[in-house]
Amino acid sequence: MRRGGGRRAPAVLLWLSVGVGVVAFGWTLVNAPPPPRPTRGPFIDRAGFTTDLQQAFIQRAPREALEIAQEWLGKEPNAWFALYCGAHAAKQLDRPNLARGYYAELEVATRPTNADRGRSNQRQHFRGWALQGLGDETGGQRAFIANARAQRDRLERSWGSDASAAEAFSAGPQRRQIALAHYLIGNSLAMAGQTDAALDALERSAIHEVGKHYDLICEWMQVDPDLESLFDHPRFHAIVERVRTNVDANQL
């Protein structure tokens, strides 16, 4: 009897262990926290990076601008504005090889097959910078003109073919969008060498601009790499004064 009982004891203990394990596993399934929800990855504050880059150039701090661009690119390697600003800062720091490297990356990032459709309205403009930075002046000019045309088409699709009438009756966010469209058109035309047409667009932008960021706009347009060819033009000085007047009026 003792030998039979001895053989049954290990079997009983084994089944007891199995039962405890099953109960514990069931409790875990019922009480365990839910798995984390999938995310799209870390948030990228593009607006914050853009403002910081603009402020760095306004303060004539290309080294700081380069560091900000590199930080942004560490989070988003194909960010067009970061590559563009990185190249410009590198040129100011007399680092031509680094600038060319950024232009090469920007050229790849702005190819139609690689472009983010959500940002495609400015793709040709940044592509123009990339091509010119790599020595393709003709290709760059074509890209800038194509971008200006695309911005005009977008303006007409949104507010009709009579853009001046639309501007006169628009208010708030709509006026802000119209002003931005004219500013982008002016930038591309300036880079394409169409000085008078660029100034016409910037004048429309200055007239219809609204919002709380006049001060940044006024300072940025005086250092905007897109507009360097206009900096000595009397009409450009008048446009800056018009925007500065808007700054003063907005602060009353």
Side-chain angles (χ1 to χ4, degrees):
M1 290 293 294
R2 283 196 297 268
R3 286 183 300 188
R7 285 195 297 271
R8 284 197 299 272
V12 171
L13 291 174
L14 175 62
W15 284 108
L16 182 61
S17 299
V18 170
V20 171
V22 169
V23 171
F25 180 70
W27 185 93
T28 301
L29 289 177
V30 172
N31 295 282
R37 300 169 72 179
T39 64
R40 294 185 176 182
F43 172 73
I44 299 173
D45 184 6
R46 295 186 180 93
F49 275 123
T50 298
T51 299
D52 289 347
L53 281 167
Q54 289 175 325
Q55 292 285 9
F57 283 117
I58 289 169
Q59 295 166 8
R60 305 298 199 276
R63 192 174 303 281
E64 180 183 350
L66 183 58
E67 291 174 355
I68 296 168
Q70 290 172 338
E71 181 183 354
W72 186 352
L73 291 169
K75 299 176 181 292
E76 188 178 14
N78 293 326
W80 299 344
F81 192 68
L83 291 167
Y84 156 85
C85 288
H88 188 62
K91 286 169 62 179
Q92 290 187 343
L93 293 169
D94 196 24
R95 299 177 64 180
N97 291 336
L98 180 60
R100 186 174 179 82
Y102 281 130
Y103 285 135
E105 291 182 49
L106 186 57
E107 189 279 324
V108 173
T110 54
R111 291 175 185 174
T113 54
N114 295 338
D116 178 354
R117 290 182 180 179
R119 306 177 297 170
S120 60
N121 63 309
Q122 275 294 91
R123 179 184 67 82
Q124 289 281 18
H125 182 81
F126 289 108
R127 184 158 184 78
W129 266 100
L131 293 173
Q132 284 196 352
L134 296 173
D136 184 358
E137 292 291 332
T138 301
Q141 293 254 334
R142 283 199 298 264
F144 288 125
I145 292 171
N147 192 73
R149 186 179 300 115
Q151 289 293 341
R152 282 202 189 101
D153 291 345
R154 183 167 172 259
L155 193 64
E156 292 184 1
R157 284 197 307 272
S158 300
W159 289 280
S161 58
D162 189 355
S164 60
E167 292 161 9
F169 293 101
S170 295
Q174 288 183 326
R175 287 189 64 182
R176 177 72 180 89
Q177 292 170 23
I178 291 171
L180 177 60
H182 283 306
Y183 187 86
L184 297 176
I185 291 169
N187 283 13
S188 289
L189 292 174
M191 289 301 300
Q194 299 185 16
T195 300
D196 290 338
L199 290 165
D200 290 343
L202 292 175
E203 284 173 349
R204 295 189 192 101
S205 177
I207 290 170
H208 299 287
E209 179 62 270
V210 294
K212 62 181 180 179
H213 301 298
Y214 278 124
D215 50 349
L216 179 61
I217 295 165
C218 185
E219 296 301 323
W220 170 247
M221 68 187 303
Q222 295 177 75
V223 298
D224 189 340
D226 296 338
L227 304 178
E228 283 184 354
S229 64
L230 308 179
F231 285 171
D232 295 329
H233 200 290
R235 285 180 64 190
F236 182 76
H237 295 164
I239 293 168
V240 171
E241 286 305 311
R242 176 61 184 262
V243 176
R244 185 172 287 117
T245 299
N246 290 344
V247 171
D248 295 338
N250 195 60
Q251 292 176 345
L252 293 178

